[in-house]
Amino acid sequence: MPSASEVVAARLVSGPARIVGAGTRPWGRPVNAAALETAALKGWDHEPGDFTVVIGAGERVSEIGARLAEHGQMLALDPPGHGTVGGLVATADSGPMRHRYGAPRDLVIGVQMALADGTVARGGGRVIKNVAGYDLPKLAAGSYGTLGVITEVAVRLHPRPEAWATAVIHHDDVDALQRDALRLARMPLEAEAFDLRWDGGRGSLLVRFAGSAAAERAAKVAGEVIEDDEDVWAQQRARQRGDFVVRVHALPTEIARVLRAVPGATAVGRAGVGTIWLQVPSAFDVTQLRGAITPLTCVVLDAPPSSRGTDPFSLKARPERTLASPALAVDTLASHFDGDDGSTRVAAGGSTRRS
Amino acid sequence: MADVGSELIARLRDICGERHVVTHAHQLKTYESDGLLHYAVTPGAVVLPGSADEVAAVVGACYAAGTPFVARGAGSGLSGGALPVADGIVIALSRLRRVLEVDLDNGRVVVEPGVTNVEVTAAVAPGFFYPPDPSSQIVCTIGGNVAENSGGAHCLKYGFTTNYVTGLEVVLTDGTVVEVGGARADLPGYDLLGALVGSEGTLAVVTKITLRVVPVPEAVRTLVAFFDSLLDAGEAVTAITGAGVVPAAIEMMDNLAIQAAEPMANAGFPLDAGAALLVELDGSEQECDARFEEVEAFCRDAGANEVRVAADAAEAARFWRARKAAFAAMGRIAHAYYVQDGVIPRTKLGEVLQRISALSEEYGLRVANVFHAGDGNLHPLVCYDSDEDAERAAELSERILDACLELGGSITGEHGVGYDKKKHMGKQFSEPDLAAFQMLRCAFDPHGLANPGKVMPTPRLCGEVPGVYRRHPLEEAGVAERF
């Protein structure tokens, strides 16, 4: 009986595929190819003592939390929505816990991929520390399915804290908000999350603490402390998605500049990392934003059809020099994994490599 | 001089200056090994460029001549990763040692590859530090750390080199300079940083590195507990991590390692202890205090004969000296030794220790155990005294790796595959896995010039399809057909 991964690999041999997980991130260019659903890629091999789990790519991220909580553990990735594990890794999406625990690349310790030549390859393993072989798990993270179909991932887990509390600091000036963010980022807070939100003229910094002394530690940072803080963070996550959302990759010292670039914008962001999700009006001109924040990279995630045409995987958004090399055009990498006949064999979530 | 052409040598002298190109046989000997002295190859020439531009020009010259090159940092690696190629060039990056930029507002520092690991922390002290801390941190370079994805004692909590590199300037094998990533995080596109970090010099030569640094924790608490046996100490580790404590470090030494290290470190470790467990917690005062009490209790419950809490930073440093001296101190109790670097899932710790002990008896050779207990990274030191025993010691050491693999682990946790372990790659990875690795290698280095003969188990040319065409298992089964 062939495994679900082998079935996927065999399917790839027969021609281009549009990879579909839960279908919750319709990001990027449409791909004109038959759908390849990952729903059958189930699997759950949890070793609580090792703080690791191997998960089928078709499992839903939102359903994992409860299973792990029974063991006092968590997967420290909290993207918005109800997507699959494969989709999460393929898009390198993340949520507020990115601040402390990192992006998918930082927590994925092993990956299994079905490749366009019909083989199933693995990289990494299921131990936390491992430097044998090239780091395919990281290469898979954010590859949008263009190197292969992620069929299974091994991830590192963390202890689930017993309590949380969030300190809220209000600001009505972007410069003051940025100054405060920089001040807090220099402190050894060991915060679980450190976010900003902005509603066209006023906003706040949110610092989340965990553990038995969470409320006490939050109180040291700000007067306003929310102990029952689940909703606060659910909102932060939710606002990473919307009708028209642009993600900007900034540094903490560029927060004010980004918030100012879109008058009246609402935004959430990782104050310590610098990544900001802007909710912009439907008639918004992204080109103008790109000009205003040069050389920062921005990625259009969700957009009305009229404003599409900007590939979220677009490398044009990056400085030209990153693509300067003939030997290392990113396409070269894709073509090695994906056949070099110029056709797009594998593509995911509506995204495709340029051919 | 070996097979490096005089034209190339002349070109290298043009680029870097006469005195920075080494060709005399006796001078070349300095570079014939890295930290793994079992292997030695005299390179054709060694070149010491003084800037990133010179590195690019050197690589470009090698490319034009079709000559392989091996990048080298401090030469302290333990897998033969910087072992020269006989007809190739060693590019020593020791002159690129400037800290280029410190940006504490954004928690970034930009350095050249020859900067040592400790110099990064020194550049951002006292408020910040750079967490990856291999035991060789005083001498090892950041360039080497990037090549090996170095870990250290604190990586259970803080992560590895790859979690701290946000940007690289690299010279591709044809001499082109590209920037990958930058100061900003999570950029779209392929995670080439992830591919480059830990690639052991086989994809490109790194000339500039942007690192993330973090604030120094508010509190640090260190203790050392002594047990009758490694298994008892292992019980304590299980209890501590099982309770949801993530120590900054949790390190174990067995009796033989203590006997070797104590006379050198003068840390006050009892010479008859079966095992020492060093635990360090850091973080907020409140969290640290609460958790530290739990850790002490877990150690006593697991049968610790004694728990010593460091009264101050100086005492903690003494504890650490014993741990970090362990490798170097082995020379006091054995004529020679092999350092192994295997990984097991942490829950298999007891099992692997029993296997190592059985192997030690079978071969009649002593094995000292020093390891990062939290992440299952073992460093058994296989001791031997005579040349006749060397081969058997090497065999024992390899059988420990086999045990790690059987228990679901890895052949290397932080030292790298290099030259030494490439023959084991086929045990850990399948043919399709290795083929995928090869595709990545060829995307960067189609001519096989960058550190050839490392990592991959068998030499393979790019574009070479391994094996003949075979029907897919699903075709055989009649489940699918090829169009």
Side-chain angles (χ1 to χ4, degrees), chain B residues 107-130:
Chain B
R108 294 288 188 273
V109 49
V110 183
V111 299
E112 291 187 321
V115 169
T116 63
N117 178 287
V118 284
E119 282 169 342
V120 177
T121 288
V124 298
F128 286 73
F129 78 115
Y130 176 65

Side-chain angles (χ1 to χ4, degrees), chain B residues 299-319:
Chain B
C299 287
R300 293 190 197 282
D301 290 349
N305 298 314
E306 191 191 346
V307 179
R308 254 181 240 172
V309 177
D312 50 28
E315 191 170 9
R318 270 201 302 282
F319 294 169

Side-chain angles (χ1 to χ4, degrees), chain B residues 4 29 33 65 83 100 112 131 136 144 177 282 333 343 384 391 394 410 427 447 451 454 481:
Chain B
V4 174
K29 284 194 92 62
S33 299
L83 185 71
L100 299 171
E112 291 187 321
S136 56
V177 179
D282 69 11
I333 60 163
V343 188
Y384 62 97
E391 221 167 285
S410 170
K427 298 184 204 166
H447 304 287
N451 209 6
K454 313 291 165 62
E481 58 185 301

Side-chain angles (χ1 to χ4, degrees), chain A residues 2 6-7 9-10 13-14 47 49-51 94 98 100 103 105-106 115 117-124 126-136 138-139 141-143 146-147 156 158-159 162 182 185-190 210-213 216-217 220 247 249-254 273 275 295-297 299 312-315 318 321-322 324-328 330 332-334 336-337 353, chain B residues 104-106 108 128 148-149 151-152 155-158 160 162-163 172 174 176 178-179 181 183-195 199-200 202-203 215-218 241-242 244-246 282-284 286-287 290-291 343-347 372 375 377 408-417 425 428-429 432-433 436-437 439-444 455-456 472 474 479-480 482-483:
Chain A
E6 286 167 344
V7 172
V13 175
S14 70
E47 183 45 76
D50 291 329
F51 283 81
S94 62
R98 163 72 181 84
R100 174 157 191 181
R105 72 173 320 263
D106 298 299
L115 304 182
D117 65 0
T119 60
V120 176
R122 284 173 188 274
R126 62 172 305 167
V127 284
I128 292 166
K129 198 172 185 183
N130 178 12
V131 294
Y134 294 114
D135 203 336
L136 297 187
K138 287 191 178 56
L139 208 49
S143 66
T146 56
L147 301 179
R156 178 182 179 172
H158 283 86
E162 69 243 48
L182 297 180
R186 276 176 174 255
M187 293 168 63
L189 297 175
E190 296 236 331
S212 50
E216 209 180 317
R217 288 162 61 201
K220 285 212 275 185
R247 189 179 68 205
H249 297 266
L251 285 167
T253 51
E254 296 162 338
V273 177
T275 309
L296 274 59
T297 301
V299 178
F313 199 52
S314 169
L315 296 148
R318 310 175 70 191
R321 62 191 166 180
T322 58
S325 162
L328 168 69
V330 166
T332 316
L333 185 59
H336 275 79
F337 277 82
R353 74 180 171 89
Chain B
L104 295 184
D105 272 338
N106 292 310
R108 294 288 188 273
F128 286 73
E148 302 299 320
N149 187 16
C155 53
L156 175 65
K157 174 172 174 178
Y158 285 98
F160 315 94
T162 189
N163 306 112
L172 300 171
D174 65 353
T176 320
V178 293
E179 290 198 25
R184 300 173 188 88
D186 300 348
L187 297 173
Y190 289 125
D191 191 348
L192 299 181
L193 283 177
S199 63
E200 307 196 28
T202 61
L203 303 184
V216 169
E218 190 176 77
T241 53
V245 181
V246 181
D282 69 11
S284 77
Q286 291 108 319
E287 189 69 15
R291 292 304 209 172
V343 188
I344 40 123
R346 211 191 38 72
T347 45
H372 310 297
D375 47 33
N377 185 194
S410 170
I411 57 170
T412 173
E414 55 188 1
H415 294 175
V417 176
M425 284 288 279
Q428 182 166 348
F429 295 104
D433 303 345
F437 292 162
M439 288 192 279
L440 175 62
R441 175 142 166 62
C442 291
F444 279 85
V455 183
M456 297 300 285
H472 192 278
L474 291 178
V479 177
R482 203 176 291 259
F483 293 96

Side-chain angles (χ1 to χ4, degrees), chain A residues 8-19 31-36 115-118 149 338 341 343-347, chain B residues 481-483:
Chain A
V8 169
R11 161 68 184 81
L12 292 178
V13 175
S14 70
R18 180 170 55 87
I19 308 160
V31 172
N32 186 20
L36 191 168
L115 304 182
D117 65 0
V149 180
D338 193 19
D341 55 358
S343 69
T344 302
R345 274 267 170 72
V346 183
Chain B
E481 58 185 301
R482 203 176 291 259
F483 293 96

